[in-house]
């Protein structure tokens, strides 16, 4: 069943390619129907999954036996929440794109391909399989940005995105090859059990550096973040939502799925370096976002800030000597919760900026003002997304950040205290942005119309999901926590 979940979107995309005469309306609704069905299957997986049972729905088939690489997939408490978040966000983008008019069939097929590779990466239990999905996501997003982005700059931004992240994938591949040379297999489960580089040495340090750099570029963290703002600024709204909401999580997920369990001793050795990178990303991302006049670039930089919290948490989980197992488990649980929360909230924010661009043709905040009066539903949803992003209680961001700070504080009190300043700056930047765009005298370079039914149905469910997690988090945390505890135990061995 898991393979059906992964490849259903791709299968529907191939059908759409094979039927070129289908009307655009049919293509759009077929895309929506496929996303609904796939999300329903993910919900069925969730209902049938036992968090105490470890990896579930496992399939292991020989693929390239000469190098011990196989089609090995399965889900646990780390991946299942990300599968659900991916399904929700792709459905939201499918609904939002019901208004898309340009080359609709190609657009839908690319998103269905991205849907499959995103799900495939989160369930991959083989390094080569992980790498294939990782790389295909780069190619598909390149075409989305270049083909449906804003103006001529989109092609340049798409090329920058591709070259930068493809270079990161090559560095990541070198790290995977290093793990294979040490362990004799690409299977993640086998490598986790054997931890072949646990003895340390120069090779372990080089492999860790390759893995961390490759994943940090995708995340992205400072100083590997420079591809992110132009890619977001020039991408279509749905492309930005998937890029920030799903594709960035491929980097952070790689830390908890691959690096920490397979290289525990080396991870512990360099934990303070990881923490430092996380804190710098938190503070730098927030301060640079505060300086932006372009709303979409501002939200892009907040992704650097929010992913910095995840890096801080996974780094703190490596401080075995200075922290309790309970605190480190809480930090990892918070990191995974933050991945889910950020995907939902930032996905909503980027779709909302798409609404703004559709009305006024620009993201410059100075061009707008007082939109709360003619567009109250738009103003309400943007306010909810902004408050959720700054970690207000009642939203999923608060649950995630509270766990990250509580889990990181015992082992790294000073870095965690510095990182808390990021929340203050994030609050300031969102309140200033809201004041500029929605309060004061009404002005806009184009239409000031409120959300359409399609836009509301695409965005509002994302905010409902963040409130449900913020108020009733137990259904999510009960799935994540056992897997997080397993990761912490592996790091401490």
């Amino acid at each position: 069943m898991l393979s059906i979940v992964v490849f259903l979107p791709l299968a529907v995309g191939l059908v759409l390619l094979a039927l070129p005469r289908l009307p655009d309306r049919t293509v759009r609704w077929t895309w929506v129907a496929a996303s609904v069905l796939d999300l329903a299957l993910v919900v069925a997986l969730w209902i049938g999954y036992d968090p105490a049972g470890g990896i579930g729905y496992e399939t292991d088939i020989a693929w390239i036996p000469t190098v011990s690489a196989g089609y090995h997939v399965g889900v646990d408490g780390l991946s299942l929440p990300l599968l659900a978040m991916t399904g929700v966000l792709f459905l939201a983008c499918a609904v939002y794109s019901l208004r898309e008019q340009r080359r609709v069939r190609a657009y839908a097929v690319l998103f269905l391909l991205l849907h499959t590779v995103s799900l495939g990466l989160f369930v991959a239990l083989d390094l080569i399989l992980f790498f294939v999905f990782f790389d295909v996501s780069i190619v598909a997003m390149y075409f989305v940005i270049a083909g449906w982005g804003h103006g001529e700059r989109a092609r340049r931004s798409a090329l920058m995105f591709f070259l930068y992240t493809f270079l990161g994938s090559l560095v990541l591949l070198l790290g995977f090859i290093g793990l294979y040379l040490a362990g004799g297999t690409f299977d993640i489960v086998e490598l986790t059990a054997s931890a072949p580089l646990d003895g340390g040495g120069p090779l372990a340090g080089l492999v860790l550096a390759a893995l961390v750099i490759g994943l940090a570029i995708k995340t992205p963290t400072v100083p590997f973040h420079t591809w992110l703002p132009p890619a977001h600024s020039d991408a279509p709204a749905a492309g930005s939502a998937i890029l920030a909401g799903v594709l960035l999580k491929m980097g952070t997920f790689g830390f908890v799925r691959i690096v920490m369990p397979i290289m525990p001793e080396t991870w512990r050795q360099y934990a303070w370096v990881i923490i430092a990178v996380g804190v710098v990303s938190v503070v730098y991302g927030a301060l640079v976002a505060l300086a932006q006049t372009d709303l979409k670039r501002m939200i892009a930089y907040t992704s650097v800030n929010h992913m910095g919290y995840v890096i801080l948490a996974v780094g703190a989980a490596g401080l075995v000597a200075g922290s309790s197992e309970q605190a480190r488990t809480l930090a990892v649980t918070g990191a995974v919760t933050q991945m889910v929360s950020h995907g939902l909230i930032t996905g909503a924010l980027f779709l909302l900026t798409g609404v703004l661009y559709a009305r006024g043709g620009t993201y410059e905040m100075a061009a707008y003002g007082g939109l709360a009066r003619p567009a109250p539903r738009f103003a309400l949803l943007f306010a909810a997304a902004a408050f959720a992003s700054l970690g207000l209680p009642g939203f999923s961001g608060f649950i995630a950040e509270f766990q990250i700070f509580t889990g990181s504080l015992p082992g790294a009190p000073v870095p965690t205290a510095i990182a808390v300043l990021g929340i203050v700056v994030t609050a300031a930047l969102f309140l200033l942005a809201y004041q500029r765009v929605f309060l004061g005298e009404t002005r806009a370079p184009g239409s000031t119309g409120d959300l359409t039914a399609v836009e509301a149905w695409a965005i509002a469910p994302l905010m409902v999901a963040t409130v449900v997690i913020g108020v009733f988090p137990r259904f999510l945390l009960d799935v994540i926590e056992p897997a997080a505890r397993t990761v912490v135990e592996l790091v401490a061995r």
Side-chain angles (χ1 to χ4, degrees):
M1 183 176 176
L2 184 58
S3 295
I4 294 174
V5 170
V6 171
F7 291 104
L8 174 63
L10 178 60
V12 173
L14 293 176
V15 170
L16 293 179
L17 280 178
L19 301 172
R21 295 187 179 180
L22 282 178
D24 286 350
R25 177 181 173 83
T26 303
V27 171
R28 295 188 196 98
W29 283 105
T30 301
W31 177 13
V32 172
S35 300
V36 169
L37 177 57
D38 205 65
L39 180 57
L41 292 175
V42 172
V43 171
L45 290 179
W46 190 297
I47 294 171
Y49 175 70
D50 178 12
I55 296 174
Y57 305 104
E58 193 170 4
T59 299
D60 191 0
I61 302 172
W63 178 30
I64 313 175
T66 52
V67 292
S68 299
Y71 175 74
H72 191 184
V73 296
V75 297
D76 62 2
L78 303 177
S79 56
L80 189 55
L82 293 173
L83 285 189
M85 181 271 292
T86 299
V88 169
L89 198 50
F90 270 98
L91 175 57
C93 289
V95 173
Y96 183 87
S97 299
L98 287 171
R99 66 181 196 173
E100 182 61 50
Q101 301 295 328
R102 298 175 295 165
R103 303 185 302 282
V104 173
R105 187 163 62 98
Y107 189 72
V109 169
L110 280 172
F111 272 86
L112 288 165
L113 173 60
L114 276 169
H115 197 164
T116 282
V117 299
S118 299
L119 295 172
L121 183 138
F122 292 135
V123 303
L125 295 175
D126 181 273
L127 295 177
I128 295 298
L129 193 63
F130 184 99
F131 178 78
V132 169
F133 288 128
F134 192 94
D135 252 20
V136 175
S137 72
I138 298 171
V139 175
M141 184 53 69
Y142 165 81
F143 285 110
V144 168
I145 298 172
W148 287 267
H150 306 312
E152 289 299 319
R153 293 186 313 172
R155 296 179 183 177
R156 183 178 62 185
S157 297
L159 182 61
M160 180 179 179
F161 159 78
F162 180 84
L163 293 177
Y164 212 134
T165 53
F166 185 68
L167 176 62
S169 74
L170 293 180
V171 176
L172 184 66
L173 180 60
L174 290 176
F176 288 171
I177 292 172
L179 290 176
Y180 170 76
L181 293 175
T185 180
F186 284 106
D187 190 272
I188 294 174
V189 175
E190 293 181 15
L191 287 169
T192 299
S194 63
L197 292 174
D198 232 11
L203 179 59
L206 290 173
V207 170
L208 180 72
L211 296 176
V212 168
I213 291 172
L215 295 171
I217 290 174
K218 190 78 166 184
T219 297
T221 67
V222 176
F224 306 110
H225 66 288
T226 52
W227 62 266
L228 183 69
H232 274 308
S233 296
D234 298 323
S240 289
I242 295 303
L243 177 58
V246 180
L247 267 59
L248 300 191
K249 311 308 177 299
M250 295 179 176
T252 50
F253 178 73
F255 287 113
V256 295
R257 168 63 78 219
I258 298 170
V259 189
M260 296 171 69
I262 295 177
M263 304 187 68
E265 183 177 337
T266 314
W267 185 262
R268 296 195 305 268
Q269 183 179 351
Y270 291 96
W272 279 107
V273 177
I274 305 299
I275 290 171
V277 171
V279 172
V280 170
S281 297
V282 166
V283 177
Y284 176 87
L287 290 175
V288 177
L290 181 63
Q292 301 304 306
T293 59
D294 180 299
L295 182 63
K296 205 176 187 189
R297 287 181 74 91
M298 184 200 82
I299 296 170
Y301 275 111
T302 64
S303 290
V304 178
N305 163 263
H306 284 84
M307 291 298 95
Y309 293 130
V310 177
I311 302 303
L312 166 65
V314 296
L319 300 178
V320 175
S323 181
S324 68
E325 181 180 314
Q326 181 181 3
R328 289 180 282 114
T329 300
L330 192 60
V332 175
T333 303
V336 179
T337 306
Q338 176 76 335
M339 295 183 215
V340 175
S341 173
H342 178 266
L344 296 172
I345 296 169
T346 306
L349 282 167
F350 276 120
L351 294 182
L352 286 164
T353 61
V355 172
L356 190 71
Y357 188 86
R359 305 296 190 271
T362 179
Y363 297 116
E364 285 294 327
M365 289 183 277
Y368 301 94
L371 294 186
R373 186 175 295 107
R377 293 191 300 274
F378 182 27
L380 178 63
L381 272 182
F382 193 94
F387 285 126
S389 187
L390 61 86
L392 195 73
F395 294 99
S396 57
F398 173 77
I399 301 297
E401 291 170 12
F402 178 80
Q403 291 181 103
I404 288 172
F405 293 138
T406 305
S408 302
L409 192 61
V414 175
T416 304
I418 295 172
V420 171
L421 296 176
I423 296 180
V424 179
V425 179
T426 302
L429 67 90
F430 272 114
L431 291 175
L432 286 172
Y434 193 84
Q435 184 181 47
R436 292 169 182 169
V437 176
F438 293 98
L439 304 181
E441 181 183 351
T442 301
R443 64 182 187 279
S447 168
T448 57
D450 208 347
L451 291 177
T452 65
V454 166
E455 292 163 347
W457 277 105
I459 301 167
L462 297 177
M463 296 315 305
V464 170
T466 66
V467 172
V468 170
I469 295 172
V471 178
F472 306 105
R474 183 171 180 175
F475 79 97
L476 177 63
L477 302 183
D478 282 351
V479 171
I480 297 173
E481 189 172 345
R485 187 179 299 110
T486 299
V487 171
V488 167
E489 290 171 354
L490 290 169
V491 170
R493 61 183 167 175

